[in-house]
Amino acid sequence: MDLAGQVALVTGGASGLGLASTAALINRGATVFVADLPTAGRGAITDLGAHFLAANVLDEEQLAAALDAAGEAGPLRGVVHTAGRGGDRLRILDRERNPAPLDAFADMVRTNLFGTYNVLRLCAARMAGNDELPEGSRGAFVLTASVAAFDGQVGQTSYTASKAAVHGITLVAARDLASWGIRVNTIAPGLFDTPMLARLRDDIREGLAQSVPYPRRLGSPAEYGRLAVELLENDYLNGETIRLDGSIRMAPR
Ligand SMILES: NC(=O)c1ccc[n+]([C@@H]2O[C@H](COP(=O)([O-])OP(=O)(O)OC[C@H]3O[C@@H](n4cnc5c(N)ncnc54)[C@H](O)[C@@H]3O)[C@@H](O)[C@H]2O)c1
């Protein structure tokens, strides 16, 4: 799929990996709509020439309204879903043997997994109505998991559960949507230099960077954006989760 002149949606595009994906898509000549929380900063998005749509990915009405607005510009061809949140760091049992709260687990899964499924189903319903492009495609998705899907650390049960599920549904989604000419792939990022990691102390971030075999640094969001564009454009890539991680395998803690 050639993205030039096509409409793309980036969820969570106001920050980090989503913002970099927005920039990469604009560079390919796409018209980009960003769906993010109403509280998210919009300056960087509008500076790039993208359009901001306030929508919580868990809210069907808000997402539908965002898709209606994006649809005015043309058929939706590409979705990069990066809206999500980081880990709780809650062990199953605390030091006093108390079980971790179920609500915290449910909240994480709701945002990262239900949010992904909501975006997938509502956007796919729009894409399936598109005319086929010359190569037969109607559109493509990029979802976002994490290396925690495969090597989650101590205290990451909720985050790992949510991200492993995103990896798990990738192939099923590709199979479900194959007859519509819609592809689905997932990126499992390692450690990226985004506001999510900026919340950590400098020495902790430096330690994380040093734990990456090569390149020995945090990933740049632009590197995520490049891969997201490739996954949308490469018509033979489907049903795959790609680790983008400098070959890191996370230690137990
Ligand atoms: N940064 C990393 O190292 C890293 C590593 C692995 C996976 N990830 C995953 O990548 C994705 C993006 O992470 P990031 O580092 O860019 O984070 P970020 O915090 O910089 O950006 C996340 C964006 O998602 C938006 N968002 C959150 N919940 C939303 C909702 N319900 N509806 C709409 N928008 C919502 C936020 O407002 C924010 O703009 C997340 O799913 C995260 O789990 C990040």
Side-chain angles (χ1 to χ4, degrees):
M1 173 167 55
D2 181 359
L3 286 167
Q6 304 292 359
V7 172
L9 179 77
V10 181
T11 68
S15 175
L17 305 182
L19 184 58
S21 302
T22 300
L25 287 162
I26 297 258
N27 272 339
R28 302 300 286 184
T31 302
V32 184
F33 291 82
V34 165
D36 207 306
L37 297 173
T39 48
R42 345 187 145 188
I45 299 162
T46 39
D47 285 353
L48 286 171
H51 310 276
F52 182 87
L53 302 166
N56 186 327
V57 293
L58 292 166
D59 187 305
E60 177 158 1
E61 271 181 31
Q62 290 177 14
L63 257 186
L67 289 170
D68 286 345
E72 303 271 314
L76 177 67
R77 296 288 184 185
V79 174
V80 181
H81 172 63
T82 66
R85 46 170 289 215
D88 274 334
R89 291 282 169 180
L90 279 175
R91 293 195 190 198
I92 297 168
L93 298 180
D94 69 13
R95 286 181 201 282
E96 282 75 48
R97 224 168 10 102
N98 300 306
L102 186 58
D103 283 356
F105 188 92
D107 278 352
M108 180 73 72
V109 171
R110 199 171 294 121
T111 301
N112 288 350
L113 177 59
F114 290 19
T116 298
Y117 187 68
N118 211 24
V119 167
L120 197 50
R121 72 189 187 95
L122 295 174
C123 294
R126 306 288 175 123
M127 273 182 195
N130 292 349
D131 291 338
E132 287 182 8
L133 291 169
E135 70 278 4
S137 148
R138 288 197 170 85
F141 285 87
V142 175
L143 309 178
T144 309
S146 163
V147 293
F150 310 100
D151 27 87
Q153 295 185 295
V154 158
Q156 283 193 316
T157 47
S158 61
Y159 187 65
T160 290
S162 67
K163 295 301 191 177
V166 171
H167 161 61
I169 66 173
T170 301
L171 180 61
V172 185
R175 289 174 165 174
D176 271 9
L177 297 172
S179 59
W180 296 99
I182 297 171
R183 292 180 299 106
V184 183
N185 291 292
T186 291
I187 300 175
L191 299 167
F192 276 73
D193 194 5
T194 71
M196 197 177 264
L197 282 201
R199 289 189 274 274
L200 300 175
R201 279 197 339 247
D202 280 356
D203 56 320
I204 295 177
R205 290 178 72 241
E206 185 49 31
L208 288 173
Q210 290 305 313
S211 68
V212 184
Y214 185 79
R216 197 170 291 270
R217 61 171 172 78
L218 299 177
S220 143
E223 290 166 329
Y224 179 100
R226 261 171 84 169
L227 182 57
V229 162
E230 176 63 17
L231 290 175
L232 291 181
E233 288 192 331
N234 192 323
D235 292 309
Y236 208 62
L237 256 170
N238 198 12
E240 188 60 89
T241 298
I242 299 182
R243 289 181 71 127
L244 185 63
D245 64 0
S247 80
I248 198 169
R249 297 295 177 269
M250 301 300 286
R253 66 192 73 222

